[in-house]
């Protein structure tokens, strides 16, 4: 009698370390916990703001500590890497777009994304400066 | 009829959060984490309680902050959850709570905080 031997796909943790292409994939993926961390920091500020003047001033005092400044410097760098990697893979993650019968190239899509990001960040900076 | 997958919802939130953080993330982290404590540009205004509260009281400020906090959380939750097996971690209940549970709780806290902050 034949013994059933189903194929089990080999899978081991850390499979991505063997190939630089997949190491870059993992570098992209690992920006995510930092995006989440920043969201929680911002949320804590929002909660402090809702609770009143003293809690909000305590939150700002924590932001002034050297540890927080270093952490946010790291976060800025990781967010910048996220922007670059997000728009670098966007030609593959978005549906093809054609203008006048010509398909828009990968480099143009990436460049458009980065220009949009630069515009959004500068706009946010100057809008908040103007209204706050 | 088979049960419909809820994956498209998670994926849409992941995509929206990824785009939002790619467009604004570095600038926002600089604004709140470096410009506020150092008093640079808009950071000087945002370090003041009354002026920060005024931003949250404005409809655009309120919507933008809510979108940033919640979409960033759902983006992170989905991406971290899908990366767990690559590190040999199981996608069990605990992993679900640690990822999507945190995003859900954060969304509820954000709604509550925006109500408590007043209008």
């Amino acid at each position: 009698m034949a013994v059933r031997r189903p194929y089990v796909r080999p899978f081991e943790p850390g499979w991505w370390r063997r190939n630089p292409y997949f190491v870059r994939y993992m570098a992209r993926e690992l920006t995510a916990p930092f995006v989440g961390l920043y969201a929680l920091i911002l949320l804590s500020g929002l909660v402090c703001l809702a609770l009143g003047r003293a809690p909000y001033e305590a939150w700002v005092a924590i932001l002034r500590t050297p540890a927080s400044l270093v952490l946010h410097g790291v976060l800025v760098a990781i967010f910048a890497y996220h922007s670059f990697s997000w728009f670098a893979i966007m030609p593959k993650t978005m549906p093809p777009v054609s203008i006048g019968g010509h398909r828009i190239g990968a480099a143009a899509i990436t460049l458009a994304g980065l220009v949009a990001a630069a515009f959004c960040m500068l706009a946010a900076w100057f809008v908040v400066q103007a209204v706050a | 009829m088979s049960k419909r997958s809820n994956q498209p919802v998670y994926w849409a939130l992941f995509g929206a959060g990824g785009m939002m953080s790619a467009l604004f993330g570095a600038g926002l982290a600089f604004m709140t984490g470096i410009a506020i404590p150092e008093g640079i540009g808009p950071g000087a205004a945002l370090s003041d309680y009354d002026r920060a509260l005024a931003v949250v009281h404005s409809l655009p400020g309120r919507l933008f902050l809510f979108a940033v906090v919640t979409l960033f959380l759902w983006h992170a939750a989905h991406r971290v959850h899908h990366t767990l097996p690559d590190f040999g971690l199981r996608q069990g209940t605990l992993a679900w709570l640690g990822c999507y549970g945190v995003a859900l709780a954060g969304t509820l806290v954000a709604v509550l905080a925006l109500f408590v902050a007043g209008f």
Side-chain angles (χ1 to χ4, degrees), chain B residues 85-105:
Chain B
D86 297 331
F87 290 94
L89 300 167
R90 265 184 57 240
Q91 288 175 319
T93 311
L94 196 66
W96 194 95
L97 286 174
C99 295
Y100 299 111
V102 170
L104 186 61

Side-chain angles (χ1 to χ4, degrees), chain B:
Chain B
M1 196 182 123
S2 64
K3 190 171 169 289
R4 280 194 138 188
S5 168
N6 51 14
Q7 278 299 313
V9 177
Y10 289 143
W11 196 87
L13 288 167
F14 158 77
M19 184 57 82
M20 193 85 176
S21 52
L23 289 175
F24 291 100
L28 283 178
F30 183 81
M31 197 192 295
T32 66
I34 294 171
I36 286 181
E38 297 292 331
I40 312 165
L46 292 177
S47 65
D48 180 72
Y49 170 74
D50 295 303
R51 295 170 79 175
L53 194 62
V55 170
V56 171
H57 280 169
S58 73
L59 188 62
R62 181 181 297 265
L63 291 176
F64 184 74
L65 256 175
F66 180 73
V68 165
V69 169
T70 58
L71 291 178
F72 280 27
L73 281 176
W74 285 99
H75 166 82
H78 191 67
R79 210 170 200 180
V80 169
H81 194 253
H82 273 260
T83 309
L84 291 178
D86 297 331
F87 290 94
L89 300 167
R90 265 184 57 240
Q91 288 175 319
T93 311
L94 196 66
W96 194 95
L97 286 174
C99 295
Y100 299 111
V102 170
L104 186 61
T107 301
L108 297 176
V109 170
V111 170
L112 198 64
L114 285 171
F115 264 101
V116 173
F119 290 87

Side-chain angles (χ1 to χ4, degrees), chain A residues 14-15 25 38 53 56 82-83 132, chain B residues 18 21-22 28 32 46 50 86:
Chain A
W15 59 270
Y25 152 79
Y38 177 69
R53 185 180 299 274
Y56 186 70
H82 169 67
S83 295
Chain B
S21 52
L28 283 178
T32 66
L46 292 177
D50 295 303
D86 297 331

